[in-house]
Structures are given as C-alpha cells and as structure tokens.
C-alpha cells in the first residue's frame, strides 16, 4: 500500500477517501480536514482565543494538538466529573499532554475545574439524586460549566472534540425520533448569544479511527478506557449500526452527516431562531434559562446535601 499524496509506504488506509497515507501525509490530512471544517463553517479566526474542552481522550487531545499546529491560540480546560478512577486517570492524561513541548512552546495552558471540589457533588451522585441517567446529568453539567469557563476566561470560542462518528450517531438518534428541535440545534457552530460563548466542533470531518491514529502517530498518550457510565448509552448502539453500514459502503457515514449540514440545516433555520427567543436568565447564577432557576442550579440543589444554617 502506497501513500496517495507522496507514494512512500503507507501506514494507514482511509477507505472513505479511497486513500492510504504515510505518517506525515496522514497528519497533514487530519490538520487539513480540521482547517477545512473551521473555514467552511467560519468557526474561529486566528486573532480569537479558543478554549478546548479536554477530557484526556483521543479526540479532545488530537483537537488541541491540531489547533496548536494550525497556529490557533488554544488553551485547554479539563472538567473533573468525580467518576472514581476513570476521572483520576483521564485527568493525568490531560495534564501530561499539557506539560508536553507542543503546548509549552506555544505558551498554552490547561485550566482544571473539579466538580466535586468546587461544586460539592460527583456525577454519579447527581444522577442518583435527580433520577437522571448519568450521561444526562453529566452533559448538563458539562454544558453549563464549560460555557462558564469560556466566558469567565474571556475566550471567544469553546471547542469540543465531537468527531464525525459522534455527530453521525447523534443525528441518527435525532432522525429516528424526529426530534426536530434537536436537529435544528445540531450545528457545528452555535453562535454566541447573551450568556453563551460560541461553541464549535472542528473535528466533524474526522472519524474516531483517524483521531486515534493521529494520537498514535504523534505520540500523544490518551485514556483508552471508555467512561464506565457509558454502558447502555443509546449512541453506542447507533455507532455500531452506522459502522456496519460504513463497512459495506465506505463514505456513507460522512455523506449522511455532511449532507445533513448542507441540505437540511438551512431548512431548519426558522426552528432554531424560535427556540433562541425563549431564553431568559437564571435568577441564581445568571445563566441563560427559560425557567426561573436553570437546570444546573436545580441539579446542584438536589445533588448536594443541605448545609446547617
Ligand atoms: S463522561 Fe459523562 Fe460521557 Fe461518562 S457520564 Fe456519560 S457523558 S459517558 S462523553
Ligand atoms: Zn443557574
């Protein structure tokens, strides 16, 4: 197998692109896919400061590395979820990358927010107390706290490591249930509005096999174990189904998702606008909320033991 761009021996094949790559051309390919996603969706500019949500996994570490390699001013933020050993280990991978020359040479830094220390609860407790599934309590906390970290730190943009497989699986779920309002919000860029930093997903053109290979070939160590709370997650089943389709028709997954962005999202513009108009302010923390108290403040109240007056 030869590298398509340069003809030297290939180390990886990407069937979707009907191409194999040597190490250097593969790294270039990954960065080029991110550069293309950023420019075609106007995600961020070189004069802007971006905060990358870093979990210690392959996607977020590859994203941080690629943004730095492309010359963006990118800091990281790690959110400790209090999920036992998994959180301790994932934090150590995030910290190890943050100490690497790639980060130090560019003067970038990693912020750490630990939910149990700073907010008095761990995700598994919050899930029990609110009778939510763990990923729902976790997603809600992440959205709230990462947004606040971006705003408080004066960042222009918050970037997350959602990749093509993640987005295609979420899209599949939303289509299966015809969640039209979720579909309207499933955008690679959510523009800044009052109380919300802009949120972008620069990895939408890369699959998880590519981000794993990127880390392997650049020597980035990442946590391989899945979060123990992910078991039974519907999106994992959707990913398996999409992978079976992709096996038989390489490129089907990218077409499903990228054509949704091109063909369907413009049709859903009106739905997204109507939703945004509903947003008010939480009376406790000031975060955008259509209820008097936002969902995160309600979760904190139920997940933390009452303090003695
Ligand atoms: S960390 Fe949180 Fe994920 Fe774990 S509890 Fe679910 S959402 S699976 S990306
Ligand atoms: Zn609130």
């Amino acid at each position: 197998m030869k590298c398509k761009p340069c003809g030297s021996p290939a180390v990886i094949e990407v069937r979707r692109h009907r191409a194999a790559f040597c190490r250097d051309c593969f790294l270039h390919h990954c960065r080029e896919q991110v550069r293309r996603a950023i420019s075609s969706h106007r995600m961020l500019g070189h004069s802007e400061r971006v905060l990358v949500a870093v979990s210690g996994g392959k996607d977020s570490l590859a994203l941080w590395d690629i943004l730095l390699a492309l010359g963006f001013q990118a800091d990281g933020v790690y959110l400790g979820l209090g999920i036992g050993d998994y959180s301790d280990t994932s934090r150590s991978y995030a910290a190890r990358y943050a100490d690497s020359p790639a980060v130090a040479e560019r003067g970038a830094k990693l912020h750490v927010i630990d939910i149990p220390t700073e907010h008095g609860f761990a995700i598994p407790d919050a899930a029990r107390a609110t009778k939510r599934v763990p990923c729902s309590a976790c997603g809600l906390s992440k959205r709230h706290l990462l947004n606040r970290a971006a705003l408080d730190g004066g960042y222009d943009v918050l970037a997350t490591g959602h990749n093509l497989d993640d987005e295609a699986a979420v899209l599949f779920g939303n289509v299966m249930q015809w969640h039209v309002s979720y579909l309207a919000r499933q955008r690679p860029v959510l523009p800044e509005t009052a109380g919300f930093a802009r949120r972008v997903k620069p990895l939408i053109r890369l699959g998880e096999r590519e981000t794993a290979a990127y880390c392997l070939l650049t020597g980035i160590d990442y946590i391989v174990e899945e979060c123990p709370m992910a078991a039974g997650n519907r999106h994992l089943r959707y990913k398996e189904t999409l992978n079976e389709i992709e096996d038989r028709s390489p490129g089907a997954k990218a077409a499903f998702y990228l054509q949704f962005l091109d063909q369907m999202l413009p049709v859903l513009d009106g739905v997204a606008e109507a939703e945004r108009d509903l947003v008010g302010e939480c009376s406790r923390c000031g975060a955008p909320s259509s209820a008097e108290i936002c969902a995160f403040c309600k979760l904190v109240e139920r997940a933390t033991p009452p303090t003695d007056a």
Side-chain angles (χ1 to χ4, degrees):
M1 223 174 22
K2 288 208 166 122
C3 173
K4 190 172 175 185
C6 80
S8 44
V11 294
I12 181 167
E13 184 184 14
V14 183
R15 287 176 69 207
R16 174 171 93 252
H17 290 287
R18 292 205 193 89
F21 299 95
C22 69
R23 176 187 181 277
D24 288 354
C25 290
F26 178 71
L27 299 183
H28 178 76
H29 153 82
C30 291
R31 291 168 185 154
E32 193 51 28
Q33 293 300 315
V34 171
R35 195 198 55 72
R36 240 178 104 180
I38 289 173
S39 76
S40 62
H41 296 281
R42 297 198 190 89
M43 291 184 180
L44 60 129
H46 276 96
S47 61
E48 294 184 305
R49 293 176 66 228
V50 50
L51 184 63
V52 184
V54 176
S55 68
K58 60 189 184 318
D59 301 310
S60 56
L61 290 177
L63 171 60
W64 195 5
D65 192 78
I66 293 172
L67 290 178
L68 289 172
L70 291 174
F72 289 101
Q73 306 173 53
D75 287 337
V77 57
Y78 173 84
L79 200 55
L81 305 169
I83 306 179
D85 290 349
Y86 172 76
S87 285
D88 297 339
T89 313
S90 57
R91 179 176 172 164
S92 70
Y93 282 103
R96 197 175 314 162
Y97 177 72
D99 285 338
S100 72
V103 176
E105 277 163 15
R106 291 178 173 87
K109 59 174 185 268
L110 178 70
H111 304 275
V112 175
I113 300 168
D114 189 55
I115 299 182
T117 314
E118 296 181 31
H119 297 278
F121 68 90
I123 293 300
D125 308 332
R128 266 192 299 277
T130 56
K131 299 193 174 64
R132 283 172 177 263
V133 290
C135 292
S136 156
C138 182
L140 163 63
S141 306
K142 280 184 193 169
R143 272 192 302 281
H144 182 94
L145 293 171
L146 293 172
N147 183 56
R148 190 192 287 174
L151 294 176
D152 290 353
Y155 291 92
D156 301 291
V157 192
L158 174 68
T160 57
H162 296 94
N163 60 37
L164 174 61
D165 295 83
D166 299 323
E167 291 303 296
V170 171
L171 175 61
F172 193 75
N174 287 339
V175 168
M176 291 288 281
Q177 317 272 340
W178 289 116
H179 279 313
V180 176
S181 63
Y182 291 175
L183 285 169
R185 270 179 280 155
Q186 203 193 332
R187 291 167 189 271
V189 181
L190 289 173
E192 54 271 55
T193 51
F196 282 117
R198 187 185 329 147
R199 274 181 290 161
V200 302
K201 298 172 182 170
L203 294 186
I204 50 167
R205 303 186 63 91
L206 289 176
E208 56 193 28
R209 187 171 155 269
E210 285 157 280
T211 59
Y214 181 92
C215 288
L216 199 76
L217 293 170
T218 46
I220 297 174
D221 251 350
Y222 61 88
I223 184 161
V224 175
E225 301 94 77
E226 290 286 342
C227 167
M229 304 270 142
N233 184 316
R234 260 182 301 135
H235 289 126
L236 290 182
R237 295 202 301 275
Y238 294 149
K239 277 187 182 177
E240 284 166 15
T241 304
L242 287 168
N243 284 342
E244 282 170 23
I245 297 171
E246 180 74 15
D247 259 358
R248 269 173 273 139
S249 320
K253 202 189 294 178
F256 175 56
Y257 175 66
L258 297 174
Q259 290 301 321
F260 161 74
L261 298 186
D262 282 355
Q263 311 283 335
M264 196 62 211
L265 268 182
V267 177
L268 295 170
D269 267 352
V271 179
E273 288 304 323
E275 295 258 315
R276 229 175 285 151
D277 290 345
L278 290 175
V279 166
E281 231 175 54
C282 169
S283 62
R284 290 201 186 151
C285 72
S289 165
S290 38
E292 200 207 327
I293 297 174
C294 77
F296 180 74
C297 286
K298 282 186 202 152
L299 180 137
V300 173
E301 185 178 275
R302 293 172 72 180
T304 49
T307 46
D308 294 332

